[in-house]
Amino acid sequence: MHRRQFIGLVGGSTAAVLAGCVGDSETGGDAAILDETLTLTTTTSTYDTGLLGEVNGAFTDRFGAEVDAVAQGTGAALETARRGDSDVVMVHARGLEDEFMREGYGVNRRDLMFNDFVVVGPDDDPAGIDGMNEVTDAFAAIADAEAIFVSRGDNSGTHNKELNIWEAAGIEPSGEWYREAGSGMGEVLNQADLEEGAHTLADRGTFISQRSELESLAIRVQGPIEGGPELLANPYGVIAVNPAVHDNVNYDLAMAYIGFITSRDGQELIREYTVEGEQLFFPEAVAEIPNFQQYVPEDWKPET
Amino acid sequence: MIGSGIPTTACTGLCGPLFVEFPYGYEGILNIIYVSLYVSLTAVALSTVFSITVAVLVGFNDFPGRGFVIALINTGMGLPSVVVGLVVLFAVSNQGPLGQAGFHLVFTREAMIMSQFVLATPVITGISLAAVTGVDDGIRDAAHAMGGRRLDVALVTIREARYGILTGVLAGLGRAISEVGSVLIVGGNIEGQTRTLTTAIQLEARQGRFELALVLGVVLVALVLLINGLLLKLGDRQIR
């Protein structure tokens, strides 16, 4: 019990304090954050799946503060935050997140939730990757067969993951078959769907929420949620923008948001969110066993 | 209005009584239309005042570099909206000059108005300039001869050039209300705040809801048609 309370302390206490403030305001006290607006830059996957609408609505109900959600893709979302144009980021590329924190732009990172990536491809499976256990093998087979692969090519979290997989497979993708779209997940899925025999790497959430619109694509390599390789894990983090770097950011509201979304209630919202009966995101912020690596860059060690 | 002209066979699982199921309510649509109109009409109104002034000044006066200014205006008509969006973003960002001056303009309608102003102004100025310089010299001379001051002469010229100027205003409006690149960058496509018809279309297309995107496109075109009709009628009545 103690341990759990300790883990919840970072976000939870802030949320509790601020919740107290709002409580006061209802009885005529100081309305500290009522009517304020929080700017959240995030990825298209959290936005397009509809998850954010659900979570942000609940946040507004509870705190009376509006959330302006801007869906940009991980690279752009972090860049906007670097300029001090957003208060909090929700992204999914740990390497980029760590860089963001090392540079001092972000503070109080929390692990939020995860889902996974899947490799989707056409029904006739020209590269013969269906059901492969290793995604690196599947990528190698696609490259060998020179089957069309549509890359996000937009420095998003998914694009970064894709590049990591090519690297792990020891392949530098290039040629007619490798198409860098420079677009969001939804657009790339559409493109792969319209193009004959194209593959792409997609986050499971966006794929499921868009599946009814996609005629020729199916999951060819599963992610870890369905027993696939760990390399396809897709963890999301939430980070407040450092108020010491940008004094204009709404830091306390950002922490209230982080507190809410990593609380039991917030995590329950994530767990219960389904599209077509399928759960899209798996909460991981509430845990008894401490995970200190979530607060700092993954390989961070104190200097002694 | 909604769903007109959209073949039912194109629907896949999204078809309701209106052919297309809207993910946001009726009020959501109205808000999107309102934001589109508010941003574009404000931008074009401000731009019109600015553009006519510039057109008259450049049209009436001969000064060194005049040809260059005209070339600049005409080049501006081809500015890519994404580039304009980025420039405005850097200006209004908290790191930019306006942000540093204490204005909070990122992801606001005001920033969108700024970028559409930049996009519409070369179009309105360029076409107005052509209209103003096309006015018969005799009319200006006559106005002078009747003892008109510079302002009077300018007003007479604007009056004569009204149809050309109106064409410019409508072209500028078309440029502003239909562009998606800059408002997406500086506005952020925030639901209920900075979501316009064009950014909503982009969002729906991104998610593969092509029917809905098309319906919104029809709404946009109908709106522009309506404004065109109104302005032409208004311009006709007022100036005569």
Side-chain angles (χ1 to χ4, degrees):
Chain A
M1 249 350 228
H2 284 289
R3 195 179 278 171
R4 184 182 300 165
Q5 282 165 355
F6 174 76
I7 296 165
L9 201 65
V10 175
S13 61
T14 322
V17 167
L18 286 161
C21 288
V22 176
D24 285 347
S25 73
E26 278 160 3
T27 54
D30 181 23
I33 64 169
L34 271 178
D35 301 325
E36 281 188 22
T37 301
L38 177 76
T39 304
L40 163 74
T41 45
T42 183
T43 77
T44 50
S45 55
T46 54
Y47 196 93
D48 291 357
T49 52
L51 174 74
L52 272 189
E54 190 87 0
V55 171
N56 292 351
F59 176 79
T60 300
D61 287 347
R62 172 129 180 226
F63 292 89
E66 295 286 332
V67 182
D68 282 354
V70 181
Q72 292 185 317
T74 293
L78 290 171
E79 197 51 43
T80 303
R82 275 193 177 86
R83 290 196 315 265
D85 291 336
S86 71
D87 305 312
V88 60
V89 290
M90 184 193 297
V91 289
H92 64 140
R94 190 60 198 261
L96 298 182
E97 292 168 50
D98 287 352
E99 198 183 311
F100 182 73
M101 285 194 293
R102 280 189 185 282
E103 291 163 352
Y105 291 111
V107 287
N108 298 327
R109 182 190 180 281
R110 291 293 310 274
D111 281 346
L112 178 63
M113 61 192 183
F114 66 92
N115 64 6
D116 59 1
F117 294 103
V118 292
V119 180
V120 299
D123 292 330
D124 58 350
D125 195 20
I129 60 168
D130 197 26
M132 277 190 175
N133 288 325
E134 288 302 327
V135 64
T136 45
D137 293 346
F139 270 39
I142 290 171
D144 277 346
E146 304 209 336
I148 295 170
F149 189 97
V150 184
S151 167
R152 289 281 295 276
D154 63 349
N155 194 28
S156 60
T158 308
H159 184 216
N160 274 272
K161 174 62 79 175
E162 181 214 313
L163 294 179
N164 292 342
I165 297 171
W166 286 119
E167 202 180 316
I171 295 167
E172 266 189 49
S174 66
E176 183 79 352
W177 59 276
Y178 186 74
R179 315 228 164 126
E180 291 192 67
S183 318
M185 190 74 258
E187 286 150 323
V188 165
L189 281 170
N190 285 329
Q191 198 175 327
D193 187 43
L194 296 173
E195 190 130 27
E196 291 276 308
H199 301 77
T200 191
L201 182 74
D203 65 283
R204 189 186 292 272
T206 307
F207 179 70
I208 290 176
S209 61
Q210 214 171 305
R211 190 164 48 192
S212 62
E213 310 285 330
L214 302 169
E215 279 160 20
S216 70
L217 296 179
I219 295 177
R220 295 288 158 220
V221 178
Q222 289 285 359
I225 289 174
E226 297 287 340
E230 204 49 44
L231 186 55
L232 288 177
N234 181 22
Y236 288 77
V238 58
I239 314 174
V241 177
N242 188 353
V245 176
H246 293 297
D247 56 7
N248 61 287
V249 297
N250 201 335
Y251 175 71
D252 42 359
L253 194 54
M255 289 307 292
Y257 185 80
I258 295 177
F260 174 73
I261 201 166
T262 57
S263 71
R264 282 178 170 279
D265 286 350
Q267 295 277 291
E268 201 52 35
L269 283 174
I270 293 171
R271 189 193 318 279
E272 284 170 3
Y273 186 73
T274 56
V275 170
E276 295 182 8
E278 277 200 61
Q279 181 180 353
L280 300 189
F281 297 98
F282 297 77
E284 63 170 344
V286 179
E288 283 192 34
I289 300 158
N291 168 20
F292 299 116
Q293 280 304 291
Q294 69 180 314
Y295 308 113
V296 294
E298 270 188 318
D299 55 350
W300 186 83
K301 296 255 179 347
E303 288 169 37
T304 47
Chain B
M1 175 176 69
I2 290 162
S4 56
I6 303 300
T8 46
T9 48
C11 295
T12 48
L14 277 171
C15 308
L18 296 171
F19 299 112
V20 174
E21 190 180 300
F22 282 88
Y24 19 75
Y26 188 56
E27 291 209 342
I29 294 275
L30 285 184
N31 186 269
I32 289 171
I33 293 173
Y34 167 76
V35 173
S36 267
L37 287 179
Y38 172 78
V39 168
S40 297
L41 290 179
T42 310
V44 169
L46 293 173
S47 173
T48 300
V49 174
F50 178 80
S51 297
I52 291 178
T53 312
V54 173
V56 168
L57 286 177
V58 175
F60 282 9
N61 298 302
D62 212 359
F63 53 89
R66 181 170 179 269
F68 180 69
V69 170
I70 293 173
L72 214 61
I73 291 168
N74 291 334
T75 308
M77 292 194 205
L79 273 179
S81 63
V82 172
V83 172
V84 172
L86 284 175
V87 171
V88 172
L89 180 67
F90 286 130
V92 301
S93 166
N94 285 301
Q95 293 295 286
L98 287 171
Q100 292 289 318
F103 295 100
H104 290 289
L105 292 167
V106 188
F107 305 138
T108 63
R109 293 173 194 167
E110 286 69 32
M112 295 157 77
I113 290 172
M114 286 170 66
S115 71
Q116 291 200 347
F117 177 90
V118 175
L119 285 169
T121 295
V123 176
I124 304 180
T125 309
I127 299 177
S128 300
L129 181 61
V132 166
T133 45
V135 170
D136 193 353
D137 281 347
I139 289 170
R140 270 200 279 162
D141 294 342
H144 265 302
M146 289 165 75
R149 289 163 297 145
R150 284 178 69 89
L151 186 64
D152 297 324
V153 178
L155 288 176
V156 167
T157 311
I158 291 170
R159 191 191 164 107
E160 278 305 309
R162 62 185 181 274
Y163 287 113
I165 291 173
L166 193 58
T167 305
V169 171
L170 290 175
L173 180 69
R175 171 99 156 124
I177 204 166
S178 67
E179 72 88 24
V180 61
S182 83
V183 287
L184 192 60
I185 291 174
V186 302
N189 192 23
I190 296 164
E191 188 182 0
Q193 303 285 324
T194 59
R195 179 161 301 163
T196 64
L197 279 164
T198 54
T199 57
I201 290 168
Q202 195 265 357
L203 177 69
E204 297 308 332
R206 177 172 92 201
Q207 300 184 28
R209 294 200 283 252
F210 296 133
E211 299 89 5
L212 183 49
L214 280 174
V215 168
L216 290 171
V218 171
V219 172
L220 177 63
V221 172
L223 216 57
V224 175
L225 186 69
L226 193 73
I227 296 169
N228 267 274
L230 279 177
L231 277 184
L232 280 173
K233 206 152 195 155
L234 213 75
D236 230 24
R237 193 173 301 161
Q238 268 193 352
I239 303 174
R240 263 181 205 161

